[in-house]
Amino acid sequence: DHRDLHSFPTRRSSDLINKAFEHFINLNNKAAEKISLFIDFTLRKGMKGNTDEEIDALLDQVMMLFRFIQEKDVFEKFYKNHLAKRLLFGKYVAQDAERNMISKLKAECGYQFTSKLEGMFNDMQFSQDTMERFTEFLAKSKLSLGVDLNVRVLATGNWPTPQVASCNLPDQINRCCDTFKQFYLNSHNGRRLTWQTSMGTADLSATFEIGRASCRERV
């Protein structure tokens, strides 16, 4: 068969190209981090205005590179950190695109590779439901915290939890935290809450005497 005579050299050439590509991409010890950073940029704002099909096509191209990197555990570490910041700070284009990327990683590497990443999405949904119940609790109890408190309850094993120095919160914030903690533990006996202040944000409003100017700052 004339076609068979030419098919073997073509496959062999393709294998050699793949091996060569795998060799040189792994010469860069930051390849895994760079790929995760590119995905982070893309899912934050790099594909704003693009269609779902265009985003999906770009993620498929990223997966072609991902298959060649050898340190996939390093990639997982960086991806987990980047995803955590996107979810906690709301810095993502669309949740569907985020889940689409995780589905591609799951198809490539298996459930074990993405179980914690999927757990992060579950925690975000659980937190949203918890805050809705907490708001109802405050209304029924006629309690006013004085601030708009938004708590994310995160399972320790799913999220990156860096060790940071303790933070001395203002008394009013401490009282808010205590109110939420009491509410939460009444429904989830036996659990322990640890406040990760380094993973949070705060909006501050201030009025200055000179000129009575007002400003709003996010920290």
Side-chain angles (χ1 to χ4, degrees):
D1 190 320
H2 179 72
R3 289 173 297 177
D4 288 342
L5 292 176
H6 293 280
S7 62
F8 176 72
T10 301
R11 288 197 299 269
R12 183 180 180 185
S13 176
S14 177
D15 290 342
L16 290 175
I17 292 174
N18 288 340
K19 289 181 180 179
F21 195 90
E22 180 181 359
H23 173 71
F24 85 74
I25 197 174
N26 285 288
L27 290 177
N28 187 336
N29 59 9
K30 291 189 176 182
E33 178 185 2
K34 297 297 184 183
I35 292 176
S36 180
L37 280 170
F38 178 79
I39 298 173
D40 184 54
F41 170 79
T42 299
L43 295 179
R44 276 176 179 264
K45 55 185 178 180
M47 295 296 285
K48 279 186 178 179
N50 293 74
T51 64
D52 292 342
E53 291 74 16
E54 290 171 332
I55 296 176
D56 186 64
L58 180 60
L59 295 181
D60 280 338
Q61 293 176 11
V62 172
M63 288 302 300
M64 292 177 64
L65 292 178
F66 172 78
R67 293 186 184 101
F68 287 108
I69 62 173
Q70 296 170 350
E71 296 181 329
K72 289 182 171 56
D73 56 330
V74 175
F75 170 87
E76 181 188 11
K77 173 186 174 183
F78 282 108
Y79 192 88
K80 187 177 180 181
N81 284 322
H82 292 148
L83 177 61
K85 292 179 180 179
R86 292 198 300 273
L87 292 179
L88 291 176
F89 303 144
K91 301 293 186 179
Y92 53 86
V93 176
Q95 193 171 118
D96 288 344
E98 294 283 359
R99 290 188 176 277
N100 185 21
M101 185 63 210
I102 292 180
S103 295
K104 293 180 186 298
L105 291 171
K106 184 176 181 179
E108 184 68 25
C109 301
Y111 169 78
Q112 200 65 29
F113 188 84
T114 60
S115 60
K116 292 183 179 180
L117 303 179
E118 292 177 316
M120 293 165 74
F121 280 95
N122 295 335
D123 286 348
M124 293 298 290
Q125 183 60 55
F126 173 78
S127 296
Q128 182 178 336
D129 296 340
T130 299
M131 287 308 301
E132 290 176 358
R133 293 195 301 271
F134 182 59
T135 301
E136 293 174 357
F137 163 77
L138 292 177
K140 290 180 180 178
S141 304
K142 297 182 179 181
L143 294 175
S144 177
L145 297 179
V147 298
D148 294 328
L149 183 69
N150 188 17
V151 180
R152 303 296 190 191
V153 183
L154 314 177
T156 304
N158 292 336
W159 297 75
T161 51
Q163 296 295 324
V164 295
S166 59
C167 179
N168 294 322
L169 297 173
D171 290 340
Q172 184 180 17
I173 303 300
N174 277 323
R175 287 193 294 270
C176 292
C177 293
D178 290 341
T179 301
F180 178 84
K181 182 177 181 179
Q182 181 179 1
F183 159 79
Y184 180 80
L185 294 182
N186 281 340
S187 302
H188 302 86
N189 189 27
R191 295 189 182 181
R192 183 178 65 176
L193 288 180
T194 301
W195 298 97
Q196 294 287 338
T197 52
S198 64
M199 300 172 71
T201 61
D203 288 330
L204 302 179
S205 297
T207 302
F208 298 95
E209 292 296 330
I210 300 177
R212 305 297 296 175
S214 297
C215 73
R216 187 175 181 85
E217 184 69 22
R218 185 177 179 84
V219 296

